[in-house]
Amino acid sequence: MSWIVDSSLTFFQKFCVNVIKCGPIPNHIAFIMDGNRRYASKTKVEKAEGHVKGFDKLAETLQWCLELGIKEVTVYAFSIENFKRSDDEVATLMKLATEKFQKLLDEKDRLMAEGVCIRIIGNLSLLSPELRKLIAEATLMTKHNKKAFLNVAFAYTSRDEIVSTAETIVEGVKKGFLDVDNIDEDLFSDCLYTSASPEPDMIVRTSGELRFSDFLLWQIADSHICFAQVLWPEFCIWHLLACIFKRKMGMTGSKGS
Ligand code: FPP
Ligand code: MG
């Protein structure tokens, strides 16, 4: 499946999307797409097929977000912890990523027409040169797009990002670009992998697990959290609309509370 798909919403679902759009819509949603392997065993298919279904659901979810007017999406596609899985599974996920990033380049015209800027955040030194090249090409190709932003966290953990940020700042001080007195929360945010993005308004995790799994720990300090009780490939527009509605109901209207 492609990264950009046509709308699969029914007339009634589109109507509900328009109703929800009358209220506050998050500008930026982060997704922890969990449950692909449980979905594979539930539906008696290979693990690899569960991950393919996971990618297909990602493409569908991105289309819903475009229809809802959500400008930015960040997804947890591969954690540094995932390198501890079996060699077979890591190879399968890397192959899937290579195919999908290649497909993204092949679909250049569609992506540019939609104005989607793609960023990959993570410790890219842990990836193969082939994957790094594809990622660099996709990033450069779309860097001037401004209609929508998709951040793919790949070889990412928050703690790795925070250590890397601290190293960047130390380097800046050592080289004399920065003074120790310049170090504050804003500077730290500006040195994170996510420096180009606003903080997520909402984080959604599927599969029923109530954990953050080392994802965007700095950035979600003030985000609404929504746990969806379905496996990622089963996530549907109703779950997304319910999360947006629950955030609206929980909004106090003021930061700092
Ligand atoms: C979590 O389910 C999912 C992953 C570790 C991989 C997510 C990857 C995709 C959805 C494909 C995206 C690919 C690209 C290139 C963006 P799990 O494997 O932890 O399943 P479980 O929780 O049931 O064990
Ligand atoms: Mg999991």
Side-chain angles (χ1 to χ4, degrees):
M1 193 191 260
S2 304
W3 287 76
I4 297 183
V5 294
D6 294 327
S7 175
S8 58
L9 298 181
T10 63
F11 178 80
F12 180 61
Q13 288 170 333
K14 279 188 183 157
F15 170 77
C16 294
V17 162
N18 285 326
V19 170
I20 285 282
K21 277 172 84 172
C22 294
I25 290 290
N27 183 47
H28 180 185
I29 305 190
F31 290 95
I32 302 180
M33 312 180 284
D34 195 27
N36 292 350
R37 296 183 300 182
R38 275 168 281 169
Y39 177 82
S41 57
K42 188 173 161 182
T43 56
K44 301 192 173 41
V45 296
E46 295 288 320
K47 262 188 226 159
E49 184 56 22
H51 291 308
V52 169
K53 287 277 183 291
F55 177 84
D56 295 349
K57 184 54 66 178
L58 166 61
E60 216 182 340
T61 305
L62 293 176
Q63 177 57 31
W64 299 333
C65 289
L66 282 175
E67 289 180 73
L68 277 157
I70 294 160
K71 214 165 169 283
E72 183 145 357
V73 171
T74 301
V75 293
Y76 208 1
F78 191 86
S79 153
I80 292 175
E81 289 297 304
N82 291 155
F83 279 113
K84 295 180 184 157
R85 293 188 178 188
S86 71
D87 291 350
D88 239 24
E89 191 179 350
V90 173
T92 300
L93 282 163
M94 291 300 154
K95 185 165 169 278
L96 179 64
T98 306
E99 279 168 20
K100 295 302 179 186
F101 285 121
Q102 183 59 58
K103 188 152 190 76
L104 202 149
L105 296 174
D106 297 343
E107 291 176 330
K108 177 178 177 190
D109 292 349
R110 183 122 193 238
L111 201 68
M112 300 308 275
E114 294 282 349
V116 183
C117 169
I118 310 270
R119 304 184 189 114
I120 291 50
I121 54 167
N123 189 338
L124 304 187
S125 69
L126 300 174
L127 301 175
S128 69
E130 184 195 7
L131 200 44
R132 283 209 300 261
K133 184 166 178 283
L134 290 172
I135 285 173
E137 281 171 4
T139 308
L140 285 174
M141 179 177 92
T142 63
K143 74 173 185 179
H144 294 302
N145 289 346
K146 292 215 164 18
K147 261 209 237 158
F149 298 87
L150 170 62
N151 309 305
V152 180
F154 207 89
Y156 176 92
T157 58
S158 205
R159 281 181 279 188
D160 175 75
E161 178 185 32
I162 288 168
V163 169
S164 149
T165 300
E167 285 168 355
T168 304
I169 292 173
V170 168
E171 193 70 10
V173 172
K174 272 194 195 157
K175 291 195 167 145
F177 300 134
L178 281 175
D179 198 79
V180 173
D181 294 339
N182 300 137
I183 302 172
D184 59 12
E185 290 182 11
D186 288 340
L187 176 82
F188 206 87
S189 293
D190 288 345
C191 296
L192 291 166
Y193 297 151
T194 55
S195 59
S197 299
E199 291 177 353
D201 305 293
M202 181 161 90
I203 174 164
V204 176
R205 181 179 189 138
T206 56
S207 93
E209 288 204 34
L210 311 181
R211 297 184 287 126
F212 291 118
S213 298
D214 213 344
F215 187 46
L216 302 177
L217 299 181
W218 176 280
Q219 296 86 342
I220 59 169
D222 199 35
S223 307
H224 177 87
I225 170 84
C226 186
F227 294 106
Q229 304 297 321
V230 280
L231 304 173
W232 173 248
E234 298 170 332
F235 189 69
C236 75
I237 184 71
W238 301 120
H239 299 113
L240 181 58
L241 295 182
C243 289
I244 295 172
F245 186 69
K246 281 189 233 164
R247 169 175 173 266
K248 171 187 157 54
M249 297 313 282
M251 277 168 91
T252 56
S254 65
K255 275 201 159 195
S257 49

